[in-house]
Amino acid sequence: MTDASAPATSASIALALDETGEGRPPGGSGGSAGAIRLVLLNLAIALAYAALGVLALKLILPPDFVSPIYPAAGLAVAAALRWGPGVLPGIAIGGAAVSLTLGIERSHIQPLQHLLIGLGGALQAWLGAWLARRWTGEHPPLCEPAELLRFLAATAGVACLVGPSFGVAALWLAGAIGPSQVAGHWFAWWVGDAIGVLIGAPVSLALFGLPRRHWAPRRLSVALPMLIACALLFGATLHVARNEEGRRRHAFDLEAVNALNTLSDTLSMPLTALEANHSLLLVAPDISRVDFERAHAERARAGGAVYAVGWAPLVRPQDLPAFEKAAQADGYVGYRVYERRRPGDLTPDPAEDRVPIRLIAPFARNRPAMGANVRNIPQARAAQERAMATGEPSASESFPLSQDAGVTLMGVVVYRALYEGGSTDPRDAAGRARRPTGVAFATLRPEALLHDALPARAGRLDYCLIDATAGSRRPLLAGDERCLHLPETLPSQSRDFDFAGRAWRLIVYNPAGLPVLEGGAALPFAIAGLVGTALLGLLLLSVTGSTARVARRVEEATQRLRVSEERFRDIVEHAPIGVVTCDLNARPQEINPYFCQLLGMSIEQLKARSVLAITHPEDRAEDSRLGMALIRGELGRYSRIKRYIGAQGQVITVRSTVSLLRDAQGQPSRLLGVVEDIGEQLRLAELERIHEAELGANRAKNEFLSRMSHELRTPLNAMLGFSQLLESDPESALSTRQRGWLTQIQQSGWHLLAMINDTLDLSRLDAGGLRVQIDDQDLGPIASDSLAMIETQRQRRGVTIDVDLAPDAGRLRADATRLKQVLTNLLSNAVKYNHDGGRVQLRARRIDDSRIELSVSDTGPGLTEAQMAQLFQPFNRLGREVGAIEGTGIGLVITQRLLELMGSRLRVASTAGEGATFSFDLPISSADQ
C-alpha cells in the first residue's frame, strides 16, 4: 500500500536519528561523528524515499501513466524542513533510484533523465522547506488555520511546480514522451506531487517533525487515521485499476489480431504475383518486352505490393553476345550483361552459366537491374539453387537490390524455376533431372509493403517483420531495431509462418503500452479519494493545532530568549575585542577568548592573578585611582590608553573601557572591562606620518627642480643667443681657434638646455601637471619630423636608419607633440648608443584590428638583465656616465610616463651584444575602426 509503509520508513528515520536533538542539525556535534550521522541520515532518507516512490509506481494510471499520489514528495519536504539542506543528497539519490527502477522495468535507461528527476525532487524539497520557513517559521507546528494554509501553499502549491518541470523536461529530452504529451504529463505529475505533499508531509512531520511536543502527540490523532484511510483507498483504487487494465489488454489483443491478419494477407501478394509471372512464362517463354510489361502493368504498378517481377534465363558464356543482341532488338537499348561488384558479392566463374535479368516490370524504377547477373549475389544464388532443385518458390535473405541508385534498397526476391520442355517438375518421368532454363522472380521490399498495408507509425500500433530462419544474417526485414529486443512489459502479438521456404515472424506491438480507453474510472476515483483524505488530514491538523497554540507561544518566547542569549554569547566569544568581568578587587571572573589570545595566557592563568598584576607598573596607580572612583559612583565609566604585560613579557598597548555593574539592589557587584588592541593602529599612524613626510619631501624636490630649471633656462638662453650673435656677426674678428671655443660653448649650452627641459618635463609629470590631447594623427609626418630632429646626430655617427611603416598602420590616436617627443627620444638613444656605422630600424605594423605597434631597434651593445632591471630609474645611465656619450638618464623615464598618459607602455627586448628593441602600441584612428 502506498502509505501503509510510511510508518516503517519514516519512523525508522525518526528512531535512528532523533538522537541529534531537537533543533540541532545532524552534523552539528562536530568532527567525524557528525559527518557519519549525516551520511547515515542521507542513506535512510534515500531508502525511505525510494521505497515510497516505488510503492507509488504500483498505482500508475492512464491516461498519462503517472501516479495520482507521490507521498515521497511529502517525505522530502518534511525531511528538508527538519534537517535542512544537508539531506538534499539523500533526496536526490532516492528520486534517481525511483526513476531508474521504472526505467529498468520499461527497458528505458537514460542516466541524464534519472539524474534530472532526482535533482528536481531535491530542489523541490529545498524550495518547499525554504518557503515554508519564510512563510510559517523555522519549525512550523501548523496549529493555526492561516499558518496551515501558508504552509500548504508553499509546499504543495509553489514548490511542487519544480519537480514536474524537471521531470517532464527530462522525459522529453530522453524521448520518452512527445511534445503533445508534455502538458498532460506535467499536470498529472503536479497533481500527484501536490497530493503526496498534502498527505505525506503531515504524516512525516508527525513522526519526526519539530517541535516534538507539538508533533509527537499527532502520531495517533493525525498520522494513524490518514495512513488507514490511504491504505483502504489504495486497495480500492488498485482493484479498479486492474479491472480497467484487463479491458485495455482485451482491446489491444483485438486490434493486434486484426493488424496481423491484414499484414499476413499483404505478404501473400508477392507469392501470388510470382505464380502469375511463372504461369505467363510457361505459356509464353519467348514473350516480348512489350507484352511482358503489358501483362504485369496492373500487378507491378509503382507503389504496389510487388516492387518488381521479371525473368532471368540461364545463359551459357558462349551465348552471351547473341543473348545481348536479342535483348537489344527487343527494345532494351544498350542492354549488357554485367557483374555486380558490391561488398560480399561472389567472383563469377568464367565457365559458369550466367543468370542475367532479361525482363523486368515496371521498367522505369528497375532499369539499373537490367542485365545484372544475379547468380553472383550469395543470397540470391542460394534461393535460386533451392528453387531449381525443388521446383517450388524459394525466397532469399534480405540483400541490397541491384536496382538501387544512390540509395541502398533492401529487399527480398522470391524465385521459381522453369525447365526445358516447359515443365514445372525438376525431374522427368524416369527420375532424371531436367535442365532449368531460368527463374521467374518477384521482388518485394518488406518495409514499404507493410507500411502501405498498415501505416502503423501514424496510429497506435507498430510492427516488425523478422527473418527467423537459422543462419539469417539480416533478421530484421521491416520495422524498428528495438523490435529485436522488446521488453516483456510492452504489449505485443506475433505470428510465425513459412514464406517460400523461409521462417518469418510478424510482430505487432504498441510502443506506448496498452491503449487508453475512454470512460476510465480509476484515475478520477483515486484523485477524489486522495483529495478527501488530504482534506481529512487538514481538518485533523487544524483541530489538534488549536490545543497546542498556547504551548507554542510559550515555546516561541523561550526560543527567542535562547536565541538572544546564544547571539550575545557568540558576539562576546567571537568579537575582536577583549571582554573581562572582575569582582570589586579586580580579580577576573569571566574572560572571552580574545582577551586570552591578546595576552598569550590561558583562562586559568588569568583567573589566578588580578588585573593589576598584568598591568604595566607605570599604569597601575592610575588604574587603581579610576577604579575606586568608579566604585564610589564618582564616574559612570572611564576609558584610557594603558599597557599590559603579556605572557612573554611583551608590552601590549590597549584602549581600556571599564564600567560598573550593579546587582538587583543597585549595589556595585562587578566591573566590566572592554579591551581593544591599538598597537596596530599606532603602527599604522606612524607609517602614515612617515608617508606624509615622504610626500612632502617629494613635493619640495619637484618644486625645487621646477624653480631651478626656470632660473637656469633664462641666463642659459641669453648665453646661447649672444654666442649665436657673436658667431654670425661679420664684423667680429674671431680666429679659427676662438670659433672652435664658441662651438664648444654652444654645444654645451644646448646640451645643458636639453637636460633642463627634460628635468622640467619629469617634474611636471611627477606633479601631474602635464596633459595630453588624444586625437587622430598621421604617423608619416610625425615620424619625418622626429627623423629630421636627429639627422645631424645620425650623420655624425654614420648610422643608417631604415623606416618600415606598413600601409595599414598610417593613422593612429595619440598626442602629436608627445608622440614626436617619444619617437625622438627612442631614435636619439638608438643612434647615441650604437656603433659607428650601425643600423637603426623604425617600424610600424598593425598587430590586430584595433592597435598599431611602433618599434625602434638598434645594433648597439644591447643591455644586460641587470641593466634592464634599472632601465626606468631617473638619472640612472646604467654605467655610461663616464663615457663620451652625453645624456641625463631621464629620457626613457619621460618616454615611459608619456606613453602611460596616452594609454600605452614601453616594452624592451635586448640581449647583451646584440642590440635592443623598444616598442609600444597605440590605438588605430577612429575612422579605421
Side-chain angles (χ1 to χ4, degrees):
M1 298 303 171
T2 303
D3 287 89
S5 65
T9 54
S10 299
S12 64
I13 301 175
L15 294 176
L17 297 165
D18 212 31
E19 298 87 356
T20 58
E22 193 167 304
R24 188 174 63 189
S29 57
S32 59
I36 293 174
R37 275 198 296 271
L38 182 59
V39 170
L40 292 175
L41 176 61
N42 275 277
L43 179 61
I45 289 176
L47 292 175
Y49 190 103
L52 290 175
V54 171
L55 193 61
L57 297 181
K58 303 297 182 182
L59 204 61
I60 289 180
L61 300 173
D64 295 303
F65 298 98
V66 293
S67 176
I69 178 174
Y70 196 67
L75 170 67
V77 170
L81 188 62
R82 168 64 172 84
W83 287 291
V87 299
L88 294 182
I91 297 172
I93 294 171
V98 174
S99 177
L100 179 61
T101 301
L102 187 60
I104 293 174
E105 182 181 332
R106 297 187 176 182
S107 300
H108 186 79
I109 300 176
Q110 296 286 339
L112 179 60
Q113 170 188 326
H114 309 321
L115 180 63
L116 287 177
I117 289 176
L119 180 61
L123 290 178
Q124 175 173 291
W126 172 83
L127 179 61
W130 182 76
L131 290 175
R133 290 191 183 97
R134 287 183 61 87
W135 295 358
T136 62
E138 184 69 19
H139 296 292
L142 304 184
C143 295
E144 298 180 359
E147 179 187 49
L148 182 58
L149 291 177
R150 290 196 301 270
F151 176 82
L152 296 178
T155 55
V158 178
C160 283
L161 301 176
V162 176
S165 300
F166 270 78
V168 172
L171 293 176
W172 179 69
L173 291 174
I177 60 174
S180 61
Q181 299 172 288
V182 168
H185 269 71
W186 186 93
F187 179 74
W189 196 313
W190 175 81
V191 170
D193 278 10
I195 295 178
V197 170
L198 289 175
I199 296 176
V203 172
S204 299
L205 288 173
L207 295 174
F208 55 73
L210 296 178
R212 295 307 302 146
R213 64 176 175 276
H214 286 295
W215 284 108
R218 293 179 174 179
R219 291 181 178 179
L220 296 177
S221 59
V222 176
L224 184 60
M226 292 182 68
L227 290 174
I228 294 174
C230 285
L232 295 174
L233 180 62
F234 182 85
T237 304
L238 196 60
H239 178 72
V240 174
R242 285 176 177 172
N243 289 338
E244 189 169 337
E245 184 178 0
R247 293 175 52 225
R248 292 163 54 211
R249 171 67 68 178
H250 181 67
F252 167 77
D253 290 342
L254 290 176
E255 191 175 10
V257 169
N258 290 334
L260 285 173
N261 292 335
T262 301
L263 295 176
S264 299
D265 293 342
T266 302
L267 288 172
S268 66
M269 294 180 182
L271 299 178
T272 303
L274 176 65
E275 291 301 319
N277 185 30
H278 184 264
S279 300
L280 175 66
L281 292 171
L282 282 175
V283 173
D286 298 323
I287 189 171
S288 66
R289 169 190 175 180
V290 173
D291 292 339
F292 184 82
E293 292 181 359
R294 183 184 300 115
H296 290 292
E298 178 65 23
R299 179 174 288 106
R301 67 186 185 279
V306 181
Y307 195 74
V309 292
W311 160 245
L314 202 65
V315 181
R316 296 184 177 90
Q318 61 270 24
D319 298 336
L320 286 176
F323 177 78
E324 291 176 342
K325 289 182 180 180
Q328 294 170 5
D330 196 21
Y332 293 118
V333 179
Y335 180 90
R336 289 287 184 273
V337 176
Y338 70 92
E339 304 292 340
R340 288 198 348 171
R341 305 292 183 184
R342 301 191 183 184
D345 286 356
L346 304 175
T347 301
D349 183 354
E352 186 181 46
D353 292 348
R354 306 295 196 271
V355 183
I357 295 178
R358 171 64 174 79
L359 297 171
I360 197 166
F363 179 73
R365 70 184 180 195
N366 294 286
R367 179 192 299 269
M370 286 298 296
N373 177 26
V374 296
R375 195 158 183 78
N376 71 335
I377 304 173
Q379 299 89 338
R381 185 187 185 100
Q384 294 162 17
E385 291 176 349
R386 289 195 304 271
M388 293 176 181
T390 62
E392 298 296 328
S394 179
S396 71
E397 286 189 65
S398 176
F399 66 91
L401 300 177
S402 301
Q403 48 264 58
D404 60 2
V407 178
T408 301
L409 298 177
M410 301 299 296
V412 173
V413 182
V414 188
Y415 298 98
R416 188 170 183 188
L418 281 81
Y419 304 92
E420 290 179 334
S423 174
T424 61
D425 194 337
R427 297 186 178 274
D428 58 15
R432 293 187 297 271
R434 288 192 175 95
R435 182 180 182 277
T437 59
V439 289
F441 65 86
T443 302
L444 65 149
R445 291 180 58 215
E447 181 70 51
L449 180 66
L450 297 182
H451 184 274
D452 291 342
L454 183 68
R457 292 175 179 84
R460 293 183 300 189
L461 294 182
D462 210 340
Y463 61 83
C464 62
L465 180 62
I466 296 175
D467 187 350
T469 307
S472 177
R473 286 167 289 185
R474 288 190 178 92
L476 185 65
L477 299 176
D480 199 290
E481 287 284 349
R482 61 182 173 179
C483 194
L484 297 174
H485 306 285
L486 284 178
E488 295 181 359
T489 56
L490 208 62
S492 64
Q493 289 278 358
S494 65
R495 180 176 296 173
D496 294 332
F497 60 95
D498 179 85
F499 185 83
R502 298 196 69 83
W504 281 10
R505 178 177 298 123
L506 188 60
I507 301 176
V508 175
Y509 63 97
N510 191 335
L514 293 175
V516 179
L517 304 179
E518 296 182 0
L523 183 61
F525 177 80
I527 292 178
L530 291 170
V531 170
T533 303
L535 293 177
L536 172 64
L538 298 182
L539 178 62
L540 293 174
L541 285 174
S542 179
V543 171
T544 56
S546 62
T547 62
R549 292 175 188 172
V550 175
R552 187 197 64 180
R553 289 169 183 160
V554 173
E555 173 63 23
E556 288 176 352
T558 305
Q559 182 68 17
R560 284 196 298 269
L561 180 59
R562 184 183 302 113
V563 170
S564 177
E565 290 177 351
E566 291 177 354
R567 186 184 300 114
F568 177 75
R569 184 179 299 107
D570 287 343
I571 292 173
V572 172
E573 291 182 354
H574 297 93
I577 57 173
V579 180
V580 56
T581 59
C582 305
D583 59 17
L584 299 181
N585 294 319
R587 298 193 66 85
Q589 294 179 336
E590 295 180 1
I591 306 167
N592 76 335
Y594 184 83
F595 190 74
C596 298
Q597 178 185 348
L598 180 65
L599 295 178
M601 300 181 187
S602 65
I603 294 179
E604 291 74 16
Q605 290 174 323
L606 288 172
K607 286 185 176 182
R609 62 189 72 185
S610 68
V611 174
L612 292 177
I614 58 176
T615 300
H616 193 279
E618 297 178 1
D619 296 336
R620 292 173 183 171
E622 184 66 12
D623 264 5
S624 297
R625 185 186 67 81
L626 293 173
M628 293 304 296
L630 198 63
I631 294 173
R632 291 193 300 266
E634 298 173 1
L635 297 174
R637 65 177 179 178
Y638 71 85
S639 179
R640 65 185 296 259
I641 295 176
K642 60 175 289 187
R643 292 164 292 177
Y644 284 116
I645 304 298
Q648 306 300 325
Q650 73 274 24
V651 177
I652 304 167
T653 304
V654 301
R655 176 178 285 106
S656 176
T657 302
V658 183
S659 302
L660 178 67
L661 301 179
R662 299 180 181 273
D663 58 19
Q665 289 74 33
Q667 298 299 316
S669 63
R670 289 183 297 172
L671 295 173
L672 173 64
V674 178
V675 179
E676 179 184 4
D677 184 4
I678 62 172
E680 186 66 24
Q681 296 179 16
L682 296 177
R683 285 190 292 273
L684 291 176
E686 179 63 18
L687 292 175
E688 183 70 21
R689 186 190 63 77
I690 294 173
H691 179 64
E692 290 294 334
E694 291 176 349
L695 290 178
N698 191 50
R699 286 194 296 269
K701 178 203 72 173
N702 291 336
E703 184 178 355
F704 171 75
L705 289 175
S706 178
R707 289 183 179 179
M708 287 301 296
S709 298
H710 283 290
E711 294 297 331
L712 288 174
R713 284 205 305 180
T714 301
L716 187 58
N717 284 329
M719 291 168 58
L720 290 172
F722 280 112
S723 66
Q724 289 173 341
L725 289 175
L726 187 61
E727 182 183 31
S728 61
D729 188 1
E731 297 180 359
S732 62
L734 296 176
S735 65
T736 302
R737 185 177 182 186
Q738 289 172 332
R739 286 188 178 276
W741 293 344
L742 188 61
T743 300
Q744 291 291 331
I745 292 173
Q746 288 181 351
Q747 289 179 351
S748 299
W750 287 117
H751 174 59
L752 182 58
L753 184 59
M755 290 179 60
I756 293 172
N757 287 335
D758 286 347
T759 304
L760 186 58
D761 283 346
L762 182 60
S763 177
R764 292 172 61 196
L765 286 167
D766 285 341
L770 194 146
R771 299 289 185 268
V772 295
Q773 183 175 355
I774 306 298
D775 204 350
D776 291 350
Q777 308 292 343
D778 288 327
L779 180 59
I782 295 176
S784 299
D785 291 346
S786 300
L787 292 169
M789 294 180 69
I790 64 159
E791 179 61 21
T792 301
Q793 184 182 11
R794 182 195 69 78
Q795 293 178 359
R796 187 167 59 249
R797 298 295 305 276
V799 173
T800 301
I801 299 180
D802 298 326
V803 180
D804 180 13
L805 305 181
D808 59 351
R811 289 181 58 79
L812 45 72
R813 290 186 59 77
D815 185 302
T817 301
R818 299 307 172 186
L819 179 58
K820 186 188 303 180
Q821 184 177 354
V822 167
L823 291 177
T824 302
N825 281 346
L826 295 177
L827 290 169
S828 176
N829 283 351
V831 172
K832 282 195 301 184
Y833 299 106
N834 210 328
H835 303 296
D836 290 342
R839 302 188 72 86
V840 174
Q841 184 182 41
L842 172 61
R843 184 182 181 192
R845 66 186 183 94
R846 196 160 177 172
I847 57 175
D848 55 34
D849 294 338
S850 61
R851 299 190 76 80
I852 295 173
E853 182 186 67
L854 292 89
S855 62
V856 176
S857 304
D858 63 62
T859 58
L863 298 168
T864 65
E865 291 187 3
Q867 289 175 325
M868 291 175 65
Q870 306 172 25
L871 192 60
F872 297 108
Q873 295 179 0
F875 304 105
N876 187 344
R877 296 195 61 202
L878 308 179
R880 311 282 172 83
E881 297 86 348
V882 297
I885 301 175
E886 300 174 345
T888 60
I890 60 175
L892 284 180
V893 178
I894 294 174
T895 299
Q896 178 72 291
R897 302 278 181 86
L898 291 176
L899 287 174
E900 289 174 352
L901 289 176
M902 290 188 287
S904 183
R905 191 164 185 83
L906 186 62
R907 301 181 294 272
V908 59
S910 177
T911 301
E914 298 181 7
T917 298
F918 291 85
S919 61
F920 60 92
D921 56 84
L922 291 169
I924 65 174
S925 67
S926 304
D928 295 336
Q929 290 184 354

